[in-house]
């Protein structure tokens, strides 16, 4: 069993780490200032500039197939890179990627949606959640009805990340109410100019989702992504990727935060001694690292299973549940170690605190991950006592 990275993998990791430290982290004060003034943290042109710079270094399309100009580094390396970019709260990711399900499109759809998304010319959003169906995604009500060569979509979606900025949406609608999620839900690619409307939803974090309204939006038959009735499987495929990329970013964030706490504990004095000398503080530091390490290996295991072409759903649910809880526990302890300073807006801890809380809610809540894990075990889809099987 080899838990090490190859020379090449280590080089990639180190280069990304240096890029994040040199190019991205210096933007943090400005991002905080912008966000606190109610502006977007990072201007689109600044983000584009960073992505272009990274592209010149070969960091483009981390998990994108080579035939689309990507680096095709695979799920494990993608997770390791997400751990590095997760070290900063600057909303940065490398360019050259597109939603995994856009590869299910036909040649014309790839030309109109996949390739422009990879190139950063078009922005997508993924819309399954509705006001009446979040965790219960099988129960969506948005309806698509065939009318000649077109489908007419009516319904409302909510909490859609990037929904107010996107040029097109991958929207999931019921095409056969009898069958529901088992063959009666279809994914449509719908351009904004086809008539859907969006409205931003203010949240406690910087993650600004939107509600989308579809009122008699007419979509041509050729805009069905994948096959008619197979949309629910595509939705699960899209969500599957987040289940190891979300905890990967969480690991990076938690390591950065813990380092801040370690540095602070060494210089902050109380009752004549640095607080680092008190066992209460040491235990918070130790517990945090134990949890971070556990999350790191659960995440890499899930990514590795995806890379091996295995059914990684169980491992990914475990990684997502654990990573989300871990990040929230770590940021809470880091705030505690900083005392009153941790609660102020002088430091970015309160910002991380608000943002990381989302990890326990989106792309499957903690409760839904637990439900999945327990059901897999109870029904025999997953077994105890396995190692890498
Ligand atoms: C910032 C943000 C961004 C998002 N981005 C997107 C996006 O891009 N696209 C998209 O489609 N969706 C998106 N979502 C939606 C997100 O995935 C849902 O909010 C999430 O799945 C939970 O659904 P809900 O909010 O309806 O909560 P509910 O499903 O109403 O759940 C409420 C509570 O009940 C619990 N619960 C529900 N069912 C069960 C059960 N069977 N057993 C035990 N407990 C249960 C939940 O865990 C939760 O604690 C986003 C959400 C947020 C907040």
């Amino acid at each position: 069993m080899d838990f090490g990275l190859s020379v090449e993998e280590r080089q990639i990791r180190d280069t990304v780490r240096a890029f994040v430290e040199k190019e991205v982290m210096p933007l943090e004060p400005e991002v905080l200032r912008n966000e606190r003034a109610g502006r977007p943290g990072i201007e689109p042109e600044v983000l584009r500039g960073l992505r272009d710079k990274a592209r010149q270094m070969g960091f483009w399309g981390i998990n994108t197939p080579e035939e689309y100009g990507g680096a095709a580094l695979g799920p494990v390396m993608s997770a390791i890179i997400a751990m590095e970019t997760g070290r900063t709260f600057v909303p940065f990711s490398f360019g050259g990627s597109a939603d995994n399900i856009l590869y299910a499109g036909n040649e014309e759809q790839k030309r109109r949606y996949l390739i422009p998304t990879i190139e950063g010319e078009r922005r997508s959003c993924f819309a399954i959640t509705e006001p009446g169906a979040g965790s219960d995604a099988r129960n969506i009500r948005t309806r698509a009805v065939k009318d000649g060569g077109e489908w007419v979509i009516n319904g409302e979606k909510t909490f859609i990340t990037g929904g107010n900025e996107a040029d097109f949406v991958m929207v999931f609608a019921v095409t056969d109410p009898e069958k529901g999620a088992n063959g009666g839900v279809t994914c449509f690619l719908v351009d904004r100019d086809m008539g859907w409307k969006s409205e931003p939803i203010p949240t406690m974090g910087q993650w600004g989702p939107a509600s989308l309204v579809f009122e008699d939006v007419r979509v041509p038959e050729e805009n069905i992504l994948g096959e008619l009735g197979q949309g629910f499987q595509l939705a699960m495929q899209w969500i599957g990727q987040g289940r190891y990329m979300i905890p990967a970013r969480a690991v990076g964030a938690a390591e950065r935060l813990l380092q801040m706490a370690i540095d602070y504990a060494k210089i902050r004095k109380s009752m004549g001694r640095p607080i680092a000398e008190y066992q209460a503080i040491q235990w918070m530091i130790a517990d945090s690292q134990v949890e971070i390490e556990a999350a790191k290996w659960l995440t890499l295991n899930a990514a590795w299973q995806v890379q091996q072409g295995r059914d990684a759903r169980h491992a990914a649910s475990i990684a997502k549940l654990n990573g989300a809880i871990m990040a929230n526990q770590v940021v809470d302890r880091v705030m505690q170690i900083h005392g009153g300073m941790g609660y102020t807006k002088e430091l970015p801890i309160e910002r991380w605190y608000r943002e990381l809380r989302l990890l326990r809610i989106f792309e499957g809540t903690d409760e839904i991950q637990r439900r999945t894990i327990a059901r897999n075990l109870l029904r025999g889809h997953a077994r105890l006592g396995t190692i890498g099987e």
Side-chain angles (χ1 to χ4, degrees), residues 126-129 134-135 158-161 207 209 358 361-365 367-368 371:
F126 168 90
I128 189 157
T129 305
S135 305
T158 192
F159 297 133
I160 307 308
T161 299
W207 208 285
L358 174 63
I361 296 172
F362 78 162
E363 297 195 25
T365 62
E367 294 72 32
I368 293 306
R371 176 177 179 267

Side-chain angles (χ1 to χ4, degrees), residues 96-171:
S97 297
D99 308 81
N100 57 359
I101 60 174
L102 288 177
Y103 292 92
N106 56 36
E107 289 314 308
E108 177 61 9
Q109 290 171 340
K110 283 181 179 163
R111 194 182 63 74
R112 283 172 52 204
Y113 299 98
L114 172 68
I115 294 168
T117 306
I118 292 174
E119 287 302 324
E121 292 156 6
R122 299 197 76 184
R123 279 181 289 183
S124 65
C125 66
F126 168 90
I128 189 157
T129 305
E130 298 180 359
S135 305
D136 192 9
R138 302 180 74 88
N139 207 19
I140 56 169
R141 292 273 178 265
T142 294
R143 190 79 168 89
V145 177
K146 187 108 190 251
D147 182 23
E150 292 180 324
W151 290 83
V152 183
I153 303 182
N154 278 288
E156 192 183 338
K157 297 289 177 182
T158 192
F159 297 133
I160 307 308
T161 299
N164 210 40
E165 297 81 26
D167 304 296
F168 71 95
V169 56
M170 298 165 282
V171 67

